[in-house]
Every structure is written in C-alpha cells, then in structure tokens.
C-alpha cells in the first residue's frame, strides 16, 4: 500500500489528525493495535479546553460535543473543611472548559472516519517502522501470516506511552525526562447524579479526591491510593466510604452512591521525550509526553500537538513550505513543558506525599493559602486550566 501519511495509533491524537488531513485531501492510513470497542472501553479524560473543542469543530466532529458536552465556568478546591471556587470565566476574561468524555469524543471521531470511508485498520499486530530518516520511510504490520507494507512520506507516532514509535528512535537521538509519583488514582464510573454541578478537587489528610462527571446522570470519582493497592482490594462500599472521608461534610452528605460500572487504577507520572521528531517520523500526544491527571492537561496537550502538526502538514502539501515541520518539535515542546509544569504544580498542591517532612507539608499548606489570597495566583491557575494559547 502507499499513502502520504501513515498514522500509528487510533486514540484521540491519531484519529483527530487523520480526520483533519482527510478533510483537506491529504491521504492517510491509520493503524490501531486494538479493536474499536477496546479503545472506547478505556475511561480516561473528561475536561476539554476551548482550543480542543474548536479543533473538533474544524474536524466536523463537534456537533454532539456542542449538544451534550457541558460548559463549566469554574471548579472548586476543597481543603481544611472549606470549599474555595476558581471562577475560570471571571479570572480569564471569558474562558471556560467543556466537560465531555474522551470515550464520546473518540466515538465521534471513529464515526466521522467511517462516514468519510477513511482507512482505519484495527487489530494490527507487530507494527514496525523502517527507513525513518530516508525520504522513503515505510511501516509494516502483520495480519495473520501476512506482512503488509505501507510506503509513505511521513510517519506519525500517535501510539500512546507504550507504543512502538518512540521506541524506534535510537537511544542516543532522544532524551527522556521523567518523574514517577509515589501514588496512583483509583477511578470509579457510576450511573449516579454528580454530587455537585462543578468539579471538586479535594485535598485532605487522608489523601486527594476528585469529584468529576460525564453528564448529569454519569459520575466519575477518583481517590489517591498507594501504588501497592490493587483494584480487587477496593470494593464499591470501601471506595464510597473513603471518598466520603476525604470530602467536606456538606459534600459527603449529598453524595449519591451506586454500583461502579468501571473501576481502574492509574499510576501518576510526568514524562517528556525530546525531540518530538526523528527523520520523517513525528511523535504526538502520549507517545511523547505524559502528565499526572490533576490539571486535566493530558488530552489537551495531545490536541495542541495535533494542531501544530496538522498546520505544518497543510503548509507542506498545499504551499510547499516546510517551516512548520522543521519547527514542530520546538513549538510543541514549548507548550508541552508548560502543561508539565502546571500538572506537576497542581499534583504537588493537592496530594498527600508519604515521604514529606513537616517543612514540606507547611510549604504545601502555604501554597494553598497564598493561592486563595492572591488574585494573581488565582489568575495563573485559571489561565493554565482553561489552556494556554496554541
Ligand atoms: P492514547 O489514547 O493512549 O492512544 C494511543 C493508541 O495507540 C494504540 N497503540 C498502537 N497502535 C498500533 N501499533 C502499536 N504498536 C500501538 N501501541 C499502542 C493504542 O491501542 C491506543 O489506542 O494516546 P493519545 O491519542 O495521544 O491520547 C492521549 C490521551 O488518551 C491522554 O492524554 C488522556 O487520557 C490523559 N487524561 C486526561 N487528559 C485530559 O486532558 N483531561 C483529563 O481530564 C484527563 N483525565 C487522563 C485522565 C488519563 C487518565 N489515565 C488513565 C492515564 C484521567 C485518567 C485516569
Ligand atoms: C475526569 O473527569 O476523568 C477528570 C477530570 C479532571 C481531571 C482529571 C480527570 O483533572
């Protein structure tokens, strides 16, 4: 097979780029390791910044998001028995976020690709990348006993943190930066009314908790857990009891509980790989960087990569201008690192760190007090949360 762009990975990054390129007549083939059902079964992000929402509309995939997604103009931080509100709209001069699940967004993108007759190939095994630094790169995958080869102009590595693309770069050509946190998030999805109309991030002596949602009938809750904990250790009852213990009394008393329809543990990690280009292969999204979910930046950082890459490829094919491709890594990383800083900061602000000294804990408490005493500090939080400009 031959195409202009071979995209590896059918998560939000790969699908969005595939759809945007196709709308502009740029031929692409997308290879996904798993089935569509498997990809849609992963419960992940819930908060989209406005830049991402605009990109979904540009991809002609914004209709359901605009109808069913909820605009949130603020969120709360609960600490020391009180609830402080972050007025996103007021602090940023009118910016908000959209609460719309990654599952729904991915479903919309899959449907759009299907409608357009896009080449999305599922259940591919053993994807390999060849001749990446030449003008004739190609990828292969296995379909049963058969090896299929796809020749292309460029390869896009949008295959997530565990994908093959980043690993295909020689060790001496890539630098990795990493911080692993000493805890994870246990998440529960339940068909219950959310406890509050806005998200509540809660810092407590027992550890962090988050009350989020997918809709007015679907709630998503998280609690900080030890890295040794297993999902099987947490019955639904134990989860709800611990969540209540970490929320202010007035919130806990309002919490509607129910059976979990999904329950999983995600370890928390900060990670960046530099550069995001090797020869004619470009990395995008989780393949190149991971953040702890506290600042809701992960999917949004992926979206800005796609924005830069999409415009760079348009300039290449429509105008013969390669400036965007040449500057992609540098431009994408500048924004990625700001998302890293913010996610690291918000994680430090709100979690319980088992090895912290009294001094560390005092500083953490002071950081929180300063935040709610300073309009400038609040503005900084708000402008990062709604998303810095692309
Ligand atoms: P994905 O979604 O991991 O998709 C990569 C795809 O590549 C496939 N793949 C391969 N395909 C072919 N060949 C191979 N060798 C392959 N290896 C892998 C995989 O099957 C997969 O389908 O990466 P992508 O597209 O870059 O998207 C990134 C986002 O998924 C991620 O950043 C967010 O989910 C992070 N995140 C959040 N981000 C936000 O912006 N806001 C949030 O509120 C938010 N909450 C979260 C989150 C992530 C979480 N977890 C579980 C890590 C909450 C959680 C709990
Ligand atoms: C979610 O709803 O899954 C979610 C929301 C906000 C975050 C992280 C996850 O910061």
């Amino acid at each position: 097979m031959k195409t202009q762009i071979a995209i590896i990975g059918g998560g939000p990054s790969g699908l969005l780029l595939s759809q945007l390129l196709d709308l502009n007549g740029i031929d692409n083939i997308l290879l996904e390791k798993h089935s569509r059902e498997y990809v849609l079964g992963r419960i992940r992000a819930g908060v989209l910044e406005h830049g991402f929402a605009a990109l979904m509309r540009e991809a002609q995939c914004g209709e359901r998001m605009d109808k069913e997604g909820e605009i949130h103009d603020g969120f709360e931080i609960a600490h020391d028995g009180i609830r402080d509100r972050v007025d996103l709209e007021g602090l940023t001069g009118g910016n908000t976020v959209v609460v719309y699940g990654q599952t729904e967004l991915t479903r919309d993108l899959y449907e759009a690709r299907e409608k357009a007759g896009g080449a999305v190939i599922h259940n591919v095994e053993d994807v390999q990348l060849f001749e990446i630094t030449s003008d004739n790169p190609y990828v292969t995958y296995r379909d049963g006993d058969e090896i299929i080869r796809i020749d292309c102009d460029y390869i896009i590595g949008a295959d997530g943190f565990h994908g093959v693309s980043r690993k295909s770069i020689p060790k001496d050509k890539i630098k990795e930066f990493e911080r692993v946190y000493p805890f994870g998030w246990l998440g529960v999805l339940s068909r219950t009314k959310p406890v509050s109309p806005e998200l509540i991030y809660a810092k407590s002596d027992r550890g962090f908790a988050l009350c989020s949602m997918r809709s007015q009938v679907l709630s998503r809750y998280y609690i900080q857990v030890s890295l040794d904990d297993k999902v099987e250790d947490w019955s639904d009852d134990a989860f709800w009891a611990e969540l209540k213990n970490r929320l202010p009394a007035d919130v806990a008393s309002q919490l509607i509980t129910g059976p979990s329809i999904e329950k999983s543990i995600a370890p928390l990690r900060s990670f960046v790989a530099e550069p995001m280009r090797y020869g004619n292969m470009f990395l995008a999204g989780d393949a190149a960087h991971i953040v702890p979910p506290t600042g809701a930046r992960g999917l949004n950082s992926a979206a800005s990569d796609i924005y830069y890459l999409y415009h760079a490829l348009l300039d290449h094919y429509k105008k013969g201008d390669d400036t965007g491709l040449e500057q992609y890594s540098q431009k994408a990383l500048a924004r990625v690192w700001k998302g890293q800083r913010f996610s690291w900061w918000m994680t430090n602000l709100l979690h319980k760190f088992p090895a912290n000294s009294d001094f560390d804990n005092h500083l953490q408490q002071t950081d929180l007090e300063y935040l709610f005493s300073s309009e400038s500090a609040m503005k900084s939080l708000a402008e990062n949360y709604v998303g810095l400009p692309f």
Side-chain angles (χ1 to χ4, degrees):
M1 288 192 272
K2 190 156 175 43
T3 188
Q4 288 172 302
I5 314 287
I7 300 174
I8 307 175
S13 302
L15 285 165
L16 182 56
L17 184 64
S18 169
Q19 172 70 3
L20 287 164
L21 293 177
D22 190 30
L23 286 174
N24 286 279
I26 300 172
D27 191 43
N28 65 84
I29 297 177
L30 186 151
L31 301 176
E32 165 57 49
K33 186 178 182 175
H34 294 288
S35 69
R36 179 162 158 168
E37 294 66 37
Y38 178 93
V39 175
L40 292 176
R42 292 188 300 221
I43 308 297
R44 287 185 168 182
V47 176
L48 311 182
E49 58 187 45
H50 52 99
F52 194 161
L55 208 51
M56 282 292 283
R57 290 182 201 110
E58 187 166 345
Q60 299 179 7
C61 292
E63 208 174 305
R64 204 160 65 92
M65 176 190 74
D66 284 331
K67 207 157 59 197
E68 295 175 18
E70 284 182 21
I71 305 272
H72 281 223
D73 54 17
F75 66 87
E76 289 184 20
I77 294 183
H79 61 100
D80 306 294
I82 57 165
R83 295 159 69 181
D84 273 313
R85 182 165 189 269
V86 180
D87 173 10
L88 293 174
E89 193 168 26
L91 289 160
T92 61
N95 278 337
T96 54
V97 291
V98 182
V99 170
Y100 189 64
Q102 180 169 332
T103 305
E104 301 312 316
L105 171 148
T106 309
R107 193 191 307 282
D108 296 343
L109 288 165
Y110 269 130
E111 277 171 14
R113 296 312 299 123
E114 198 167 59
K115 226 158 111 201
V120 176
I121 308 173
H122 282 280
N123 301 311
V124 297
E125 290 176 64
D126 200 15
V127 169
Q128 291 187 42
L129 294 72
F130 294 95
E131 303 287 340
I132 305 175
T133 54
S134 81
D135 288 338
N136 302 297
Y138 65 96
V139 299
T140 63
Y141 68 93
R142 196 159 50 77
D143 180 10
D145 291 338
E146 210 183 340
I147 301 289
I148 318 271
R149 169 173 167 156
I150 305 174
D151 291 283
C152 57
D153 300 338
Y154 298 108
I155 301 170
I156 308 300
D159 47 353
F161 183 65
H162 299 288
V164 65
S165 304
R166 189 183 69 251
K167 291 176 192 144
S168 305
I169 303 176
K171 281 265 174 281
D172 61 336
K173 300 285 185 218
I174 193 163
K175 183 161 168 55
E176 298 184 346
F177 302 82
E178 184 171 48
R179 168 155 303 177
V180 176
Y181 298 84
F183 40 72
W185 277 19
L186 168 63
V188 157
L189 188 69
S190 74
R191 240 179 266 295
T192 50
K193 186 174 157 51
V195 68
S196 156
E198 294 187 338
L199 269 66
I200 303 176
Y201 291 81
K203 173 181 185 284
S204 89
D205 293 343
R206 301 177 67 92
F208 171 79
L210 170 61
C211 306
S212 182
M213 66 199 73
R214 293 292 174 272
S215 71
Q216 281 312 307
V217 291
L218 199 56
S219 296
R220 181 71 166 160
Y221 295 104
Y222 297 96
I223 55 171
Q224 171 187 350
V225 292
S226 146
L227 281 177
D228 301 326
D229 283 20
K230 304 268 169 295
V231 176
E232 309 79 73
D233 301 338
W234 285 92
S235 67
D236 286 0
D237 286 348
F239 176 84
W240 293 120
E242 186 57 34
L243 176 63
K244 280 185 186 175
N245 274 330
R246 296 184 188 191
L247 297 174
D250 59 329
V251 180
S253 67
Q254 299 285 316
L255 184 73
I256 301 170
T257 63
S260 62
I261 49 177
E262 194 268 356
K263 198 191 280 168
S264 50
I265 293 182
L268 265 62
R269 183 195 300 268
S270 298
F271 174 88
V272 183
E274 291 191 359
M276 288 171 62
R277 173 182 192 170
Y278 176 62
N280 284 321
M281 191 258 285
F282 297 86
L283 296 175
D286 278 18
H289 43 80
I290 298 277
V291 285
T294 328
R297 294 297 82 209
L299 182 55
N300 291 304
S301 292
S304 65
D305 293 351
I306 297 306
Y307 177 88
Y308 295 130
L309 207 41
Y310 160 52
H311 285 281
L313 289 166
L314 276 189
D315 286 351
H316 170 80
Y317 284 108
K318 305 288 176 196
K319 301 184 199 153
D321 177 359
D322 281 353
T323 321
L325 288 176
E326 278 151 20
Q327 292 178 352
Y328 167 70
S329 177
Q330 190 194 346
K331 257 175 134 173
L333 282 166
R335 193 175 190 275
V336 160
W337 274 107
K338 292 189 186 105
Q340 289 286 339
R341 186 204 68 81
F342 177 65
S343 305
W344 163 84
W345 172 77
M346 210 159 147
T347 302
N348 280 315
L349 183 73
L350 299 174
H351 287 76
K352 182 178 166 127
F353 284 75
N356 262 11
S357 65
D358 288 347
F359 182 83
D360 298 326
N361 289 332
H362 223 306
L363 281 185
Q364 188 187 35
Q365 194 60 26
T366 305
D367 206 355
L368 204 55
E369 276 166 32
Y370 170 64
L371 174 66
F372 291 109
S373 70
S374 159
E375 167 112 355
S376 308
M378 289 278 272
K379 274 192 171 162
S380 166
L381 163 58
E383 80 167 350
N384 278 279
Y385 194 89
V386 299
L388 298 171
F390 286 168

